[in-house]
Amino acid sequence: MDLSKIVEKINQRPNMATKMGMVFHSTPEPDTCGASMRVDESSRQPMGYLSGGASLALAETLAGAGSAALCPDKVCVGIQVSGSHVRAVPDGDTVNALARIVHQGSTLHVWNVDLTDGCGRLISTAHVTNYILPSSTESSQQP
């Protein structure tokens, strides 16, 4: 999935993704997309490990970027995210995320996102649901 246009939008102004150092990656498969994030002061909890909330933020943001790439003329918003964390990731390591869309409806997208550490070991798995809305231009044209 090509994320290049979405990455341009993300980088237009400061936001959570840029603040946390999320880097988005296009993939050759049409139903997947990827991202990475270094574990540092913006993503670690006080004990020096990746925060579970940062993991879920990466998963939800990546799934949102994927939905936006699939529906470039729509507004895609997360309405549900849940995850299970199975391994700690220390400060200084990099987390990699691979999202795969499992349902692509006209108003709902469902994604499974696997997060791995720098050694490729599973650290979290997340489930994200995005709601697909008409753009403000689209909705203003409806009677």
Side-chain angles (χ1 to χ4, degrees):
M1 177 179 301
D2 183 8
L3 295 182
S4 58
K5 290 181 182 175
I6 303 309
V7 169
E8 285 178 21
K9 284 185 180 181
I10 289 169
N11 292 328
Q12 283 179 351
R13 62 180 188 204
N15 56 72
M16 183 181 64
T18 59
K19 194 69 145 171
M20 293 182 71
M22 296 178 191
V23 178
F24 298 90
H25 314 284
S26 296
T27 60
E29 298 84 17
D31 62 341
T32 67
C33 51
S36 59
M37 179 178 70
R38 189 149 178 82
V39 180
D40 61 19
E41 66 277 353
S42 67
S43 59
R44 70 175 175 245
Q45 39 96 320
M47 303 320 259
Y49 293 93
L50 177 67
S51 166
S55 297
L56 292 179
L58 178 61
E60 183 178 16
T61 305
L62 175 58
S67 287
L70 293 170
C71 300
D73 298 325
K74 304 286 185 181
V75 175
C76 307
V77 296
I79 59 170
Q80 189 274 336
V81 61
S82 62
S84 297
H85 311 297
V86 297
R87 184 181 305 274
V89 183
D91 187 31
D93 200 349
T94 297
V95 177
N96 298 295
L98 182 67
R100 179 174 307 279
I101 193 163
V102 294
H103 172 75
Q104 184 180 346
S106 59
T107 58
L108 290 177
H109 288 178
V110 178
W111 294 82
N112 286 335
V113 186
D114 286 334
L115 288 81
T116 56
D117 64 12
C119 295
R121 299 174 295 194
L122 183 70
I123 58 126
S124 295
T125 186
H127 188 78
V128 180
T129 303
N130 290 329
Y131 187 52
I132 313 305
L133 299 161
S135 69
S136 57
T137 307
E138 236 181 300
S139 54
S140 66
Q141 294 174 355
Q142 294 178 359

